[in-house]
Amino acid sequence: MANTKDYSEREMIIDRYLSSGKSFTRKELMELINEELYMRGMKEITSRSTFFSDIREINAKFFYTYHEDVIRTKRVGNDFFYSYFRKDFSIYNRALTDEELSQIHNLIHTIRRFKGMPQFSWLEALEARFDLVIQKGAKPMVSFDDSYNEEAMKPFASLLDAVYSHQVVNVTYCKFKDAEPTIHQVSPHFLKQYQLRWYLLASYIGNPRVYTFALDRIQQVEVDATVAYEPTDVDFEHYFDDIIGITNYEDKPVEDVEIRVRASELPYVLTKPLHHSQKLLRREDNGDGIISIRVKYNMELKQAILSYGGYMEVIKPLEFRREMVEQIDMMRENYEDNTQDA
């Protein structure tokens, strides 16, 4: 097995197609594998020996568990068809062996050493996920808020490699409003998830400004070794401190935003702050609360406030309040038009 990472990618692709219950010829599987590798910016396979080696590797890996090959080969005429030994099978849905359970326990033991450190707060959720995995046959008692987008995650591995190895990439990117994609040559710096969507933060060659690219709009990633990577001075550990969401406008100031929260929603907002800078300035006689957050203006801020409907009211800055009023007027017009049409 020449490259563990490449093989792992091919293994996942092969599993996804075979777990559909269909049979494929070698040629069909190789074309499907190469199509996905191309989309991920990875090296395609051209040798039949690589394909056969992958099939043998998968069979050998799981022979101990099932005592037979999990991938069956059947000859029909001059073609050989490949399929799983039973329908609805997937090598990723198999039960964990005792050895694998032991390895996960050891991993969790190591992870627990980092708990309590602020930058490793995500480990508690990861540990909870592991605890669910290692309980064989147990009914699920916890549900995590996931939204797996296969198209969005295709370029993830390639971009993460480029970030760590400091490599320039050519990103084929198509915004929702664009009819055709465009190619962006960038130095990738950081990957971040916000509201179940992944984003790449990168800068163009010769331009230190950080730009944001949604992964689900990236069609292809290609490493460009002919261009020197340009590192950034941005400290991403604190890059998001003064914003809600993902968009950080360098030319926008950090401002104090005061918001009236209706009494019925105030306890919820106090226990789930809009932003870590949130403060309760005062309570009014009717039970409403006036809170403040210190942030930069962006679309995510507006969306967060609008998500509370009439239970939140921007008091200041006045410019931001006027913009919210314009947005609300537009919403009112939409509903009035629909009412008249009905």
Side-chain angles (χ1 to χ4, degrees), residues 17 113 247 261:
Y17 285 107
R113 299 179 183 179
T247 310
V261 183

Side-chain angles (χ1 to χ4, degrees), residues 32-259:
L32 291 169
I33 293 168
N34 284 333
E35 182 179 337
E36 299 234 9
L37 293 176
Y38 175 79
M39 291 294 294
R40 301 180 192 192
M42 300 179 66
K43 184 179 179 181
E44 300 174 31
I45 58 172
T46 57
S47 170
R48 291 191 302 174
S49 62
T50 302
F51 171 81
F52 292 135
S53 176
D54 288 350
I55 299 298
R56 288 194 299 269
E57 183 74 24
I58 294 173
N59 278 331
K61 184 187 295 186
F62 299 100
F63 187 86
Y64 176 79
T65 303
Y66 299 103
H67 308 292
E68 59 179 321
D69 291 343
V70 295
I71 298 179
R72 296 281 176 81
T73 306
K74 182 178 181 180
R75 182 168 185 168
V76 180
N78 294 325
D79 289 324
F80 288 90
F81 286 81
Y82 296 84
S83 63
Y84 272 144
F85 72 130
R86 67 169 184 258
K87 291 183 178 181
D88 301 323
F89 174 79
S90 170
I91 58 179
Y92 296 104
N93 289 338
R94 66 189 180 90
L96 295 171
T97 66
D98 291 338
E99 181 181 357
E100 289 168 331
L101 288 172
S102 177
Q103 291 173 348
I104 291 177
H105 274 298
N106 291 335
L107 177 61
I108 292 175
H109 179 73
T110 302
I111 286 175
R112 284 193 175 113
R113 299 179 183 179
F114 294 95
K115 288 177 63 175
M117 299 176 66
Q119 64 269 40
F120 291 101
S121 58
W122 54 272
L123 287 176
E124 292 190 8
L126 179 61
E127 181 183 348
R129 288 173 182 259
F130 274 134
D131 285 341
L132 290 178
V133 169
I134 64 177
Q135 295 180 35
K136 287 184 175 180
K139 292 183 178 180
M141 294 173 286
V142 178
S143 176
F144 291 91
D145 191 8
D146 285 332
S147 178
Y148 180 76
N149 185 330
E150 185 175 332
E151 290 300 317
M153 296 310 294
K154 282 182 178 179
F156 185 88
S158 299
L159 290 171
L160 185 60
D161 283 346
V163 170
Y164 276 108
S165 57
H166 289 183
Q167 291 179 302
V168 171
V169 292
N170 294 320
V171 174
T172 304
Y173 192 77
C174 188
K175 297 180 181 179
F176 286 111
K177 64 180 181 180
D178 294 340
E180 298 293 332
T182 54
I183 297 177
H184 302 258
Q185 188 178 72
V186 297
S187 295
H189 304 307
F190 199 77
L191 288 163
K192 181 174 175 61
Q193 187 184 40
Y194 175 66
Q195 291 189 342
L196 304 181
R197 196 179 189 194
W198 281 96
Y199 297 86
L200 168 70
L201 287 88
S203 58
Y204 291 98
I205 303 301
N207 181 359
R209 182 179 174 183
V210 174
Y211 292 83
T212 304
F213 301 86
L215 262 64
D216 59 0
R217 307 310 304 160
I218 295 177
Q219 298 182 358
Q220 186 177 345
V221 177
E222 288 185 343
V223 173
D224 191 342
T226 65
V227 182
Y229 179 90
E230 296 181 357
T232 181
D233 293 330
V234 173
D235 180 4
F236 286 103
E237 187 173 353
H238 299 289
Y239 181 78
F240 306 96
D241 286 356
D242 298 325
I243 61 172
I244 290 176
I246 196 78
T247 310
N248 190 335
Y249 296 112
E250 295 180 3
D251 56 343
K252 295 285 186 181
V254 178
E255 299 183 88
D256 291 315
V257 179
E258 289 191 13
I259 304 168

Side-chain angles (χ1 to χ4, degrees), residues 263 282-289:
R282 63 183 181 276
R283 292 178 185 265
E284 301 189 327
D285 294 340
N286 62 358
D288 292 353

